[in-house]
Amino acid sequence: MAITTESVIDALKYVDDPDLKKDLVTLGMIKDVAVNGKNVSFTVVLTTPACPMKDMIHNACVNAIKHYVDQEAIVNVNMTANVTTTRTKDNTTLSKIKNIIAVASGKGGVGKSTIASNLAIALTKQGAKVGLVDADIYGPSQTIMFDVQNEMPGKSEYEGKPKMAPVESYGVKLNSVGFMAGPDQVIALRGPMASKALTQLFMDTNWGELDYLIVDLPPGTGDIQISLCSQIPLTGAVVVCTPQAVALADARKGIALFNLPAINVPVIGIVENMAWFTPEELPENRYYIFGKDGAKNLAGEMRLPLLGEIPLVQSIREAGDIGRPAVLQETTAQALAFKEMAQNVAQQVAILNATKANSELEKV
Ligand SMILES: Nc1ncnc2c1ncn2[C@@H]1O[C@H](COP(=O)(O)OP(=O)(O)OP(=O)(O)O)[C@@H](O)[C@H]1O
Ligand SMILES: [Mg+2]
């Protein structure tokens, strides 16, 4: 029997998106179905280019065609993505940003900036449009991590008003409070002024279209974090934590802050940083110097996804210091850990967006 586009579409109704738990046709993820003899081609539009299920969905589509349509079909699946959003359009420079993701922790020095830079680069490498705001007003570090200490944001315009053009490095659009002060200067602003300066950093940058804007927050749960959460439309927050008891206690406070009714920012999940120490010369060895599975257990207890376990490796620190984040190493265990973390973040954001869209539909 000749293959028809209808039979192809019917077969693809048997393939579910494992996260969204509906079939690809119902989800509107199948486009451009074409049939020519035994040749079948179509496009699958994923919810993120960093989808960890990409290969699985691809194979499931090929198998469905062979099983339900024709064993001898030659199937060509074009995998693309259109990152989802639940943000409402406004007239600010943030308007074309689909998802704004804060990287936070209650405690200082647990690796927020390291996680934020590697997350931004990992998402870019998988094909997403990504920006990063270094909002650590008291200790900006992204200009070093992105090796742009000697650069400055350029001039741009948004709807006739002068704005900054972000600095670009490793494909990521970056703006930082670090550009406002030289390396030996401090930004001496009190709470409300600091919050205002930060909001301006977001609003006075011409970001253009972005799939993800990552925000590197200063440590703690104080004024700055609270005002940022209420003024910037965050999609969610990634909480970074080490396995140590004191860090876990502070992570709980960080999570509690996002859960406050007045703030109400979804926590996307927890990243366990410095999960174990691995010496470069003994890559198989793991030493649990800060304790074992602390953040993993916290995630389980709070019913939050564990987004990644990043080892403590000397070259992660060195990579940050020389301005070439570790995820750029491609094949090392730490680069793979960052890539997996980024895929998990993107996956959870897609799930969050789908859940929110569904609950809004139900309200109608
Ligand atoms: N997994 C890791 N392996 C090795 N070094 C790491 C790792 N994560 C972070 N570091 C190093 O630890 C130090 C602190 O990390 P980072 O600056 O990312 O933390 P932070 O939470 O942003 O700190 P702050 O609260 O001061 O903003 C840095 O020198 C960084 O290079
Ligand atoms: Mg930092």
Side-chain angles (χ1 to χ4, degrees):
M1 246 186 22
I3 304 176
T4 62
T5 52
E6 288 74 25
S7 64
V8 169
I9 291 171
D10 283 343
L12 293 174
K13 286 181 186 159
Y14 288 97
V15 182
D16 278 356
D17 180 306
D19 293 326
L20 308 182
K21 305 203 169 39
K22 284 187 188 150
D23 73 87
L24 302 186
V25 178
T26 303
L27 289 166
M29 287 162 73
I30 302 295
K31 300 264 186 289
D32 308 329
V33 180
V35 177
N36 184 0
K38 295 278 182 201
N39 289 297
V40 173
S41 69
F42 50 88
T43 297
V44 178
V45 187
L46 298 169
T47 52
T48 171
C51 177
M53 310 281 187
K54 203 177 199 167
D55 293 344
M56 204 190 106
I57 294 175
H58 177 277
N59 295 342
C61 287
V62 175
N63 290 341
I65 303 299
K66 292 201 180 263
H67 184 78
Y68 295 106
V69 183
D70 190 333
Q71 190 64 40
E72 279 150 25
I74 302 153
V75 190
N76 179 12
V77 191
N78 174 28
M79 304 295 284
T80 63
N82 183 11
V83 174
T84 50
T85 181
T86 42
R87 291 204 46 222
T88 39
K89 290 255 179 297
D90 54 31
N91 57 3
T92 71
T93 56
L94 308 183
S95 183
K96 291 192 214 124
I97 303 177
K98 290 182 170 176
N99 298 287
I100 307 181
I101 301 166
V103 178
S105 74
K107 194 178 182 322
V110 294
K112 285 174 299 305
S113 303
T114 305
I115 299 298
S117 56
N118 282 288
L119 171 62
I121 295 173
L123 290 171
T124 308
K125 276 165 62 87
Q126 310 227 356
K129 292 192 213 99
V130 185
L132 189 144
V133 176
D134 182 359
D136 191 346
I137 195 128
Y138 302 117
S141 41
Q142 295 299 352
T143 53
I144 296 175
M145 292 191 175
F146 278 83
D147 194 19
V148 290
Q149 296 106 297
N150 301 323
E151 294 187 35
M152 284 297 276
K155 287 197 174 113
S156 185
E157 229 181 58
Y158 181 79
E159 298 196 334
K161 298 200 184 82
K163 299 285 174 193
M164 287 179 267
V167 168
E168 231 177 286
S169 179
Y170 305 119
V172 177
K173 288 183 175 176
L174 174 74
N175 207 351
S176 166
V177 280
F179 292 126
M180 296 180 187
D184 302 323
Q185 288 173 301
V186 287
I187 302 170
L189 293 175
R190 285 176 189 276
M193 287 305 288
S195 298
K196 193 158 175 262
L198 274 187
T199 312
Q200 271 177 5
L201 190 67
F202 282 84
M203 300 299 180
D204 290 351
T205 305
N206 190 9
W207 296 105
E209 282 179 29
L210 293 180
D211 295 320
Y212 306 100
L213 179 66
I214 310 298
V215 186
D216 182 10
L217 285 182
T221 50
D223 280 358
I224 302 237
Q225 290 78 5
I226 294 172
S227 79
L228 222 135
C229 290
S230 50
Q231 282 168 24
I232 305 300
L234 294 175
T235 307
V238 169
V239 173
V240 182
C241 186
T242 65
Q244 211 179 350
V246 282
L248 293 167
D250 287 348
R252 279 174 197 276
K253 285 187 205 145
I255 294 167
L257 175 84
F258 292 116
N259 286 339
L260 286 176
I263 296 202
N264 196 21
V265 169
V267 176
I268 297 167
I270 298 178
V271 173
E272 183 165 83
N273 190 26
M274 313 191 191
W276 56 80
F277 167 67
T278 294
E280 224 81 48
E281 63 282 11
L282 295 168
E284 303 301 321
N285 290 28
R286 294 181 175 187
Y287 303 93
Y288 296 90
I289 52 180
F290 292 123
K292 191 163 186 277
D293 292 339
K296 195 188 211 167
N297 294 339
L298 177 69
E301 185 195 316
M302 303 201 95
R303 292 172 188 272
L304 289 168
L306 180 70
L307 300 166
E309 292 173 290
I310 311 295
L312 173 65
V313 185
Q314 187 172 330
S315 69
I316 294 185
R317 199 269 306 149
E318 288 167 352
D321 284 352
I322 59 161
R324 219 180 170 279
V327 71
L328 292 163
Q329 295 162 2
E330 303 276 351
T331 52
T332 61
Q334 51 271 27
L336 294 176
F338 282 125
K339 180 179 169 195
E340 201 177 308
M341 169 194 79
Q343 290 185 328
N344 287 336
V345 171
Q347 179 183 34
Q348 291 304 324
V349 168
I351 294 174
L352 214 65
N353 284 340
T355 315
K356 195 170 168 202
N358 279 343
S359 70
E360 268 158 27
L361 270 180
E362 277 162 20
K363 275 191 234 150
V364 179

